[in-house]
Amino acid sequence: MGSLDKPNALRLITLFSGAVKGIAFYPPSHPAIRQPLMELYKILTSALSREDRVSWGLIDGIMFFDDHLFIAPSAAIADLTDRMAEREVSRITATSSLRFDELEAFVKLFSSKGIRFDALSRQMAEGGITHLTLVRHGDENLNQADDEREADLDGDHIAT
């Protein structure tokens, strides 16, 4: 059983996308941002009560949340896909100790125009955002390939 069913996973992605987009127009305390952020946090903490960590991001340009794929994206998902690609981010992972202030600060950072992976990661560290982590586009594939190579080497070693 996953941390969220598909409708709630879609809601989480939509809320995250809307918060990222909206924070450019309103301060974080404005109800147009605060309410969606609170709902996003509620859904995330619900998911994190079932799993130690949850993640969302892109696989071959397709948005996912844990084991749910969103093949036919809405406008909000398409916008988030573009933003993640611009920032060189393929995955965002949240862990069970995530605080609301971290989520709020992350959304504000992630909404910044022209910010890319290295600057975003540095600013997250400087801002004390420790329960959200990023994976750079391409790094997962490289790590997976390295892990597979190591498994192959281990298998070859055992077989000889």
Side-chain angles (χ1 to χ4, degrees), residues 100-112:
F100 180 80
D101 63 312
E102 283 181 289
L103 177 63
E104 183 179 53
F106 176 71
V107 167
K108 188 173 182 176
L109 282 175
F110 200 82
S111 70
S112 301

Side-chain angles (χ1 to χ4, degrees), residues 4-14 43 68 70:
L4 290 177
D5 60 13
K6 194 164 186 172
N8 278 314
L10 176 61
R11 181 74 180 144
L12 182 143
I13 297 295
T14 303
I43 294 171
H68 302 294
F70 302 102

Side-chain angles (χ1 to χ4, degrees), residues 58-124:
L58 304 173
I59 298 175
D60 295 329
I62 298 172
M63 184 64 62
F64 72 88
F65 177 88
D66 281 346
D67 57 351
H68 302 294
L69 292 175
F70 302 102
I71 306 282
S74 65
I77 289 176
D79 182 65
L80 182 58
T81 298
D82 291 343
R83 287 176 188 265
M84 290 183 74
E86 288 169 8
R87 286 155 183 76
E88 304 170 312
V89 173
S90 67
R91 178 184 295 258
I92 301 167
T93 300
T95 59
S96 59
S97 299
L98 178 67
R99 300 180 323 268
F100 180 80
D101 63 312
E102 283 181 289
L103 177 63
E104 183 179 53
F106 176 71
V107 167
K108 188 173 182 176
L109 282 175
F110 200 82
S111 70
S112 301
K113 291 193 184 282
I115 193 167
R116 299 190 55 111
F117 186 88
D118 291 330
L120 183 58
S121 296
R122 186 183 72 254
Q123 289 178 24
M124 287 173 64

